[in-house]
């Protein structure tokens, strides 16, 4: 089994390494890699490509059919050859036998009370051994039902859970973090006294479970349990370490969340916690029956490499004796993980052997422990701790931190986080303190099992350190020198002569999102406020950047004085009217509003829709429409039919959410997401992207505001950014009659005829093909131009073929310099 996300060269490499004669694939993946079989031939391989349907039909006369294949197998024959990593170069293939899997399934079946009548939800890809053994073979062997879902989003998982068929789930920590975040957000949306009461009940139930073995979670938190279907008896986490706050929350809510530990070389489970009612923080449990766990060469604190022995341990790496001998020694599997055992045999992990940071004095620092210590702050979304080489020959502790701004100013949040890191450091020995902290407004690079790629973090920190050094040097340059151009040259590692005033950052100088972050760090170290340079995607040319830096320098002193005066005479914050509503009231209000919309658009207005067959049914998408009236949002929702139930739209915070009454209405009764149109563009786009990631359909009006005369205005590149960044189709829609019915400035509608014209979707695959090779900013404009052309065609009463839409003409350099970015 291999990861379906692998590239063709990686698949060719695995076929070569394994000597595979046949590659079984689905029609969808063959469409994604149409040249796969030719790639095998070009590489001199005899590997043929066969579709699952042809292969399983057992008919060798069908195209690419491989016919029947039967062979008796002994217990120690290889059942599965799994390439865990290193799919370039010479990847290692783990050989797991029939005995390995059968022995482990028997142990897991005994550890979990699962059988006929149970339903397990499968959320992990089956090429991972954890899902294959714990999520497939084990329930299958016990007669349990397994449910598979078509998309891995919190909402889709919630829909399946609410069917009531699920009694157990197997997942990686990222899944439990996602579900925990949704529960936390739900609690936080309640009035403060209610939220505090819920937290108190959670703490009380956790104490009761730990001390007395009584679990009142289902009674106290029935709405939460109902969201999980009301029948979930066990949950299993594996693949990497589960965050303690997540495990603690599920325990307090009355769920049983067990944790398994292991690795592919052990098929893959070695230990399992039996959470029960008494929770033991930090442990991954005891070894399964018949498996022995030991600590190899423990230090004074009892920490050493975890080694294991048992019938589920692999026979070795495929045709790689050297790698096999490195991990299988005297019958023991050396895991590469560091841990300790307590007196009860409970295993506690502290990190990976290869991830240990060793300073110049030989002191060991374990990144996982520091991530848990430093990571507890409301404005930390995630972080990664690694070691960077220092001048003394050892490593210094460094951290890449992703802030969670929560609508607060960038500068304020970063100052608060810097103080947080200092405060935590004061309670630690010097060698364990984080010496370098860099902030990163993106996502940490992860593997397919959602583990952070520490090697990628190290490389990015190195680049940010180089950028910071360039910024420090820039401080020392005299004002009459062009320090800014030299700083840009240092970041892109090109000659100073290339950095002309009219040079475009993305088009001419090759800046991508990573390099823009490095430029931000360099400018901050040169003294430019972080808030001024935290989002450089709006900056077109070097000359534009110079103006941004100059303006920021003028503002910095004024802002500092203003903050100082504000702290001295800080007025008491004005208490805003908040109108929290119970769920029953909110649900009833939504139902009334929907009936009202149906009556409005279907009764008072003469309302018609064309092109409904073009609405995608099996995926979410981005809706782009012209905007001339406050009637537009509701009209699009009604036109979308069933898909309209999952339609959200961005709405101006300062217009729709500026009073307590408005917030109460729009937060409880509509699917509007507040957007700060005068604040961080990045935050607005992040909110839009989150809705797409969670499986919602997103409605945007790319003109930016209502047209004052009903005439279609130019589309901004937002459309291209969202479609290309989040991989969704674009559905063009033209709304006719809304300007005449309720134009901008009017308060009472005229009951004119309204019509919605829906065109064929612009498929993401085609959009990516049309923008291949373009700079990101140009690609965004191309997609926005295609969407605009589609809507204009619909406005003319005509239909279009998506592939025949005219390619937009990109603006000249002079125009582009002053044009808006998404």
């Amino acid at each position: 089994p291999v990861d379906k996300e692998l590239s063709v060269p990686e698949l060719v490499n695995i076929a070569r390494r394994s000597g595979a004669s046949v590659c079984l694939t689905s029609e969808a993946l063959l469409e994604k890699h149409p040249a796969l079989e030719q790639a095998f031939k070009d590489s001199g391989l005899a590997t043929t490509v066969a579709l699952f349907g042809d292969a399983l039909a057992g008919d060798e006369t069908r195209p690419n059919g491989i016919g029947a294949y039967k062979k008796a197998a002994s217990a120690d024959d290889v059942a599965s050859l799994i390439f865990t990593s290193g799919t370039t170069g010479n990847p290692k293939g783990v050989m797991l036998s029939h005995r390995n899997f059968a022995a482990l399934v028997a142990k897991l079946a005994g550890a979990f009370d699962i059988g006929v009548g149970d339903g397990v939800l499968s959320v992990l890809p089956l090429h991972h051994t954890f899902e294959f053994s714990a999520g497939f073979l084990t329930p299958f062997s016990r007669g349990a039902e397994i449910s598979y879902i078509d998309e891995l989003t919190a909402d889709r998982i919630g829909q399946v859970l609410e069917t009531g068929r699920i009694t157990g789930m197997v997942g990686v920590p990222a899944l439990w973090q996602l579900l925990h975040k949704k529960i936390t957000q739900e609690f936080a949306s309640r009035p403060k006294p209610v939220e505090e009461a819920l937290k108190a009940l959670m703490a009380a139930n956790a104490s009761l479970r730990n001390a007395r073995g009584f679990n009142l979670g289902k009674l106290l938190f029935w709405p939460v349990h109902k969201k999980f279907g009301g029948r979930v008896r066990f949950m299993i986490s594996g693949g990497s370490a589960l965050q303690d706050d997540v495990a603690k929350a599920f325990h307090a809510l009355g769920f049983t969340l067990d944790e398994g530990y292991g690795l592919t070389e052990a098929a893959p489970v070695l230990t399992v916690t039996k959470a029960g009612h008494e929770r033991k923080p930090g442990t991954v449990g005891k070894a399964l029956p018949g498996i022995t766990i030991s600590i190899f060469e423990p230090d004074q604190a009892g920490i050493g490499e975890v080694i294991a022995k048992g019938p589920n341990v692999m026979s070795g790496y495929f045709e790689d004796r050297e790698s096999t001998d490195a991990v299988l020694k005297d019958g023991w599997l050396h895991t590469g993980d560091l841990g300790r055992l307590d007196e009860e045999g409970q295993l506690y992990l502290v990190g990976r052997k290869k991830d240990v940071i060793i300073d110049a004095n030989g002191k060991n620092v374990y990144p996982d422990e520091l991530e848990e210590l430093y990571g507890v702050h409301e404005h930390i979304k995630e972080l990664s701790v690694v070691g960077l080489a220092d001048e003394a020959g050892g490593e210094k502790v460094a951290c890449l931190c992703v802030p969670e701004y929560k609508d607060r100013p960038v500068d304020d949040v970063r100052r608060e986080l810097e103080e947080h890191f200092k405060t935590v450091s004061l309670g630690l020995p010097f060698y364990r303190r984080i010496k370098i902290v860099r902030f990163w407004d993106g996502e940490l690079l992860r593997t397919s099992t959602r583990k952070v790629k520490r090697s990628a973090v190290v490389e990015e920190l190195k680049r940010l350190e180089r950028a910071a050094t360039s910024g420090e040097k820039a401080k020392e340059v005299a004002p009459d020198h062009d320090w800014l151009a030299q700083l840009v040259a240092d970041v892109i590692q090109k000659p100073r002569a290339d950095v002309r005033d009219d040079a475009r950052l993305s088009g001419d100088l090759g800046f991508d999102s990573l390099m823009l972050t490095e430029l931000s760090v360099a400018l901050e170290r040169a003294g430019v406020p972080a808030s001024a340079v935290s989002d450089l995607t709006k900056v077109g040319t070097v000359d534009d950047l110079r103006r941004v830096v100059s303006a920021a320098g003028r503002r910095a002193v004024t802002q500092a004085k203003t903050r100082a005066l504000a702290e001295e005479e800080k007025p008491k914050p004005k208490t805003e009217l908040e109108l929290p509503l119970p769920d029953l009231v909110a649900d009833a209000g939504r139902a009334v509003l929907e009936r009202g919309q149906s009556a409005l658009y279907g009764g008072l207005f003469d309302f018609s829709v064309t092109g409904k067959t073009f609405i995608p049914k099996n995926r979410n998408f981005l809706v782009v429409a012209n905007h001339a009236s406050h009637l537009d949002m509701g009209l699009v929702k009604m036109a979308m039919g069933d898909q309209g139930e999952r339609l959200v739209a961005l709405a101006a915070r300062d217009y729709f959410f500026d009073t307590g009454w408005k917030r109460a209405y729009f937060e409880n009764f509509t699917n509007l997401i507040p957007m700060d149109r005068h604040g961080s563009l990045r935050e607005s786009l992040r909110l839009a992207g989150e809705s797409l990631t969670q499986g919602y359909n997103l409605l945007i009006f790319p003109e930016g505001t209502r047209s004052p005369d009903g005439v279609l205005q130019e589309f901004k590149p937002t459309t291209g950014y969202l479609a290309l960044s989040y991989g969704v189709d674009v559905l063009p829609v033209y709304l006719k009659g809304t300007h005449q019915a309720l134009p901008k400035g009017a308060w009472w509608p005229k009951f004119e005829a309204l019509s919605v014209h829906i065109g064929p979707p612009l498929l993401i695959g085609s959009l990516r093909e049309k923008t291949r090779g373009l700079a990101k900013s140009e690609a965004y404009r191309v997609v926005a131009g295609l969407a605009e052309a589609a809507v204009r065609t619909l406005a003319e009463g005509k239909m279009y073929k998506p592939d025949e839409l005219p390619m937009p003409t990109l603006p000249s350099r002079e125009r582009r310099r002053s044009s808006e970015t998404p």
Side-chain angles (χ1 to χ4, degrees):
V2 295
D3 187 349
K4 67 183 179 67
E5 301 300 330
L6 294 183
S7 65
V8 169
E10 290 172 320
L11 293 171
V12 169
N13 195 38
I14 286 181
R16 178 188 295 109
R17 181 74 182 86
S18 63
S21 58
V22 178
C23 171
L24 292 175
T25 183
S26 65
E27 291 187 22
L29 280 179
L30 196 56
E31 288 177 5
K32 179 180 177 182
H33 300 309
L36 181 58
E37 189 159 22
Q38 187 60 46
F40 288 142
K41 292 179 181 178
D42 293 343
S43 300
L45 301 177
T47 310
T48 61
V49 176
L51 296 175
F52 282 116
D54 293 333
L56 297 177
D59 183 0
E60 62 269 22
T61 63
R62 296 178 64 172
N64 291 330
I66 61 174
Y69 184 76
K70 296 180 180 178
K71 180 184 177 182
S74 67
D76 293 317
D77 283 349
V78 174
S80 189
L81 181 59
I82 301 175
F83 292 90
T84 58
S85 61
T87 48
T88 57
N90 190 33
K92 291 188 295 186
V94 177
M95 295 188 293
L96 294 174
S97 67
H98 295 275
R99 187 190 304 278
N100 292 151
F101 284 119
L104 182 63
V105 166
K107 300 177 191 305
L108 291 175
F112 300 106
D113 181 19
I114 181 173
V116 176
D118 281 312
V120 177
L121 176 61
S122 177
V123 294
L124 300 178
L126 279 163
H127 75 275
H128 289 300
T129 13
F130 182 54
E131 179 65 20
F132 183 65
S133 295
F136 170 58
L137 289 182
T138 300
F140 186 70
S141 72
R142 306 296 293 173
E145 177 183 286
I146 306 173
S147 295
Y148 296 93
I149 57 177
D150 49 2
E151 56 179 348
L152 187 57
T153 63
D155 290 317
R156 190 70 182 103
I157 292 171
Q159 290 173 1
V160 178
L161 288 173
E162 288 178 2
T163 63
R165 299 175 69 90
I166 306 302
T167 59
M169 293 174 64
V170 178
V172 293
L175 169 68
W176 309 114
Q177 291 166 22
L178 177 68
L179 296 173
H180 171 245
K181 185 176 182 180
K182 284 188 70 70
I183 295 170
T184 303
Q185 289 173 340
E186 175 67 23
F187 283 5
S189 67
R190 306 300 177 90
K192 198 66 177 177
V194 176
E195 181 186 6
E196 294 302 321
L198 290 170
K199 289 180 178 178
L201 286 175
M202 287 175 64
N205 189 53
S207 298
L208 189 64
R209 292 189 72 180
N210 288 331
R212 302 293 182 184
F214 292 123
N215 182 9
L216 300 179
K218 186 173 285 191
L219 176 65
L220 297 173
F221 306 105
W222 171 243
V224 177
H225 283 258
K226 187 179 179 183
K227 288 284 186 182
F228 281 81
R231 295 184 61 219
V232 173
R233 295 188 294 104
F234 64 90
M235 301 171 170
I236 309 170
S237 178
S240 60
L242 179 66
Q243 287 186 335
D244 187 63
D245 62 328
V246 176
K248 182 178 180 181
F250 276 101
H251 179 76
L253 289 167
F255 293 101
T256 298
L257 178 54
D258 296 326
E259 187 170 6
Y261 158 71
L263 59 166
T264 303
E265 287 82 347
V269 185
L270 292 170
T271 71
V272 170
T273 61
K274 290 305 294 177
H277 293 305
E278 185 180 358
R279 180 174 171 271
K280 294 188 175 181
T283 180
V284 292
K286 297 180 180 180
L288 288 168
I291 296 174
T292 305
I293 296 290
S294 185
I295 303 299
F296 183 69
E297 296 182 348
D299 61 15
Q300 292 181 344
I303 295 174
E305 184 179 10
V306 179
I307 59 177
K309 181 186 292 185
N312 55 317
V313 172
M314 69 169 184
S315 55
Y317 294 114
F318 181 65
E319 295 181 351
D320 192 344
R321 175 51 54 189
E322 183 179 352
S323 296
T324 300
D325 291 343
V327 299
L328 287 179
K329 302 174 183 177
D330 299 325
W332 289 92
L333 172 65
H334 287 245
T335 66
D337 291 311
L338 294 172
R340 62 179 177 84
L341 290 168
D342 66 11
E343 61 279 359
E344 296 179 354
Q346 299 276 355
L347 177 63
Y348 294 79
L349 298 177
V350 298
R352 289 286 293 168
K353 187 176 179 181
K354 66 178 182 179
D355 292 334
V356 174
I357 303 167
I358 304 176
D359 72 2
N361 297 317
K363 295 281 191 180
N364 288 353
V365 180
Y366 304 108
D368 289 14
E369 291 184 340
L370 292 187
E371 287 168 358
E372 188 169 333
L373 287 171
Y374 282 94
V376 183
H377 193 283
E378 63 174 330
H379 288 296
I380 292 180
K381 186 176 182 180
E382 57 180 343
L383 52 76
S384 180
V385 175
V386 297
L388 294 182
D390 61 15
E391 302 77 11
E395 292 179 304
K396 51 190 172 185
V397 186
C399 174
L400 192 61
C401 175
V402 179
E404 181 80 81
Y405 294 108
K406 296 183 177 179
D407 297 326
R408 287 189 55 195
V410 172
D411 291 331
D412 291 353
V413 170
R414 292 193 176 188
R415 276 194 298 270
E416 187 175 319
L417 289 178
E418 286 169 355
E419 288 302 315
H420 164 72
F421 277 91
K422 291 177 183 176
T423 302
V424 175
S425 293
L426 290 176
L428 299 173
F430 180 78
Y431 74 94
R432 295 186 68 201
R433 296 178 183 177
I434 291 178
K435 314 299 191 303
I436 297 172
V437 179
R438 293 282 170 241
F439 296 113
W440 177 258
D441 292 328
E443 297 289 336
L444 296 182
L445 194 61
R446 296 178 182 273
T447 65
S448 58
T449 55
R450 302 298 298 163
K451 295 179 183 176
V452 172
K453 291 185 176 180
R454 293 192 193 274
S455 59
V457 171
V458 169
E459 291 306 311
E460 189 51 45
L461 280 170
K462 287 179 180 177
R463 288 195 290 268
L464 295 179
E465 282 299 284
R466 285 196 299 268
T469 301
S470 298
E472 291 287 354
K473 289 179 180 177
K475 288 182 178 180
E476 303 168 4
V477 178
D480 55 340
H481 285 69
D482 191 356
W483 64 271
L484 180 61
Q486 185 58 54
L487 186 148
V488 172
D490 289 343
V491 171
I492 62 176
Q493 297 184 347
K494 289 185 178 180
R496 162 68 184 82
D498 289 353
V499 187
R500 307 181 312 277
D501 280 354
D502 63 348
R504 294 169 297 151
L505 296 188
S506 60
D508 299 323
L509 301 180
F511 273 90
D512 57 19
S513 58
L514 300 181
M515 293 171 68
L516 286 175
T517 299
E518 293 161 25
L519 180 59
S520 297
V521 170
L523 290 169
E524 288 174 43
R525 294 305 288 266
V528 183
S531 57
V533 293
S534 63
D535 185 6
L536 294 178
T537 57
K538 307 175 195 175
V539 178
T541 66
V542 173
D543 196 39
D544 294 338
L545 179 64
R546 198 184 307 282
R547 285 194 288 271
V548 168
V549 171
S550 176
R554 291 193 298 271
R555 290 198 305 268
V557 174
T558 303
Q559 289 174 345
K561 290 180 179 178
T562 302
R563 279 197 301 269
L565 290 172
E567 288 300 319
E568 291 177 9
E569 300 181 13
K570 202 169 189 178
K572 292 183 179 180
K574 181 181 177 181
T575 302
E576 295 190 48
L577 177 65
E578 296 293 343
L579 299 171
L581 297 178
D583 287 346
L584 288 175
V585 176
D587 291 342
R590 280 177 176 269
V592 170
L593 181 62
E594 288 177 5
R595 284 195 293 270
Q597 285 182 329
S598 299
L600 177 66
Y601 293 106
L604 298 178
F605 287 108
D606 183 7
F607 165 51
S608 64
V609 182
T610 63
K612 291 189 87 168
T613 56
F614 294 128
I615 301 174
K617 301 297 184 184
N618 58 350
R619 60 194 183 277
N620 66 321
F621 48 87
L622 179 68
V623 183
V624 295
N626 59 307
H627 192 25
S629 170
H630 279 323
L631 294 172
D632 294 341
M633 292 183 190
L635 186 60
V636 173
K637 180 180 178 181
M638 294 297 298
M640 290 293 115
D642 291 342
Q643 286 284 38
E645 298 299 317
R646 300 186 56 74
L647 186 71
V648 299
L650 294 181
R653 183 189 302 276
D654 58 315
Y655 188 93
F656 291 94
F657 298 85
D658 57 335
T659 69
W661 292 102
K662 285 185 178 180
R663 281 197 302 278
Y665 177 81
F666 288 110
E667 287 178 357
N668 288 285
F669 301 144
T670 73
N671 284 348
L672 296 186
I673 301 174
M675 175 191 70
D676 190 352
R677 57 182 173 179
H678 303 301
S680 170
L681 178 65
R682 178 187 307 174
E683 176 64 14
S684 300
L685 294 179
R686 184 186 67 79
L687 289 171
E690 278 189 0
S691 67
L692 289 171
T693 302
Q694 293 169 3
Y696 287 98
N697 304 315
L698 177 67
L699 167 64
I700 64 170
F701 298 111
E703 296 164 277
T705 186
R706 285 174 292 164
S707 171
D709 53 8
V711 176
L712 189 66
Q713 304 174 82
E714 182 181 359
F715 279 17
K716 290 181 171 57
T718 316
T719 302
Y721 172 83
L722 291 170
L724 295 176
S725 298
Y726 295 94
V728 292
D729 299 341
V730 177
L731 186 67
V733 173
Y734 178 69
L735 307 175
K736 185 177 180 181
T738 57
H739 174 72
Q740 291 77 10
L742 186 66
K744 194 172 184 178
W747 288 95
W748 188 256
K750 300 175 182 177
F751 295 108
E752 305 281 345
L754 305 179
S755 59
V756 180
H757 303 276
I758 303 169
L762 311 184
L763 302 181
I764 183 60
S766 176
L767 295 176
R768 284 175 171 161
E769 187 63 34
K770 289 178 183 292
T771 57
R772 189 184 304 278
L774 295 178
K776 287 185 177 180
S777 58
E778 293 178 340
Y780 300 156
R781 288 184 173 87
V782 166
V783 174
L786 291 170
E788 182 182 338
V791 175
R792 288 189 183 279
T793 303
L794 294 172
E796 295 170 0
K798 302 175 183 177
M799 189 49 69
Y800 58 85
K801 293 182 179 180
D803 289 336
E804 296 179 3
L805 288 170
M807 285 288 285
T809 302
L810 292 174
S812 66
R813 178 175 296 175
E814 289 72 20
R815 284 182 58 202
R816 205 178 305 165
R817 181 185 301 181
S818 60
S819 66
E820 295 181 67
T821 54

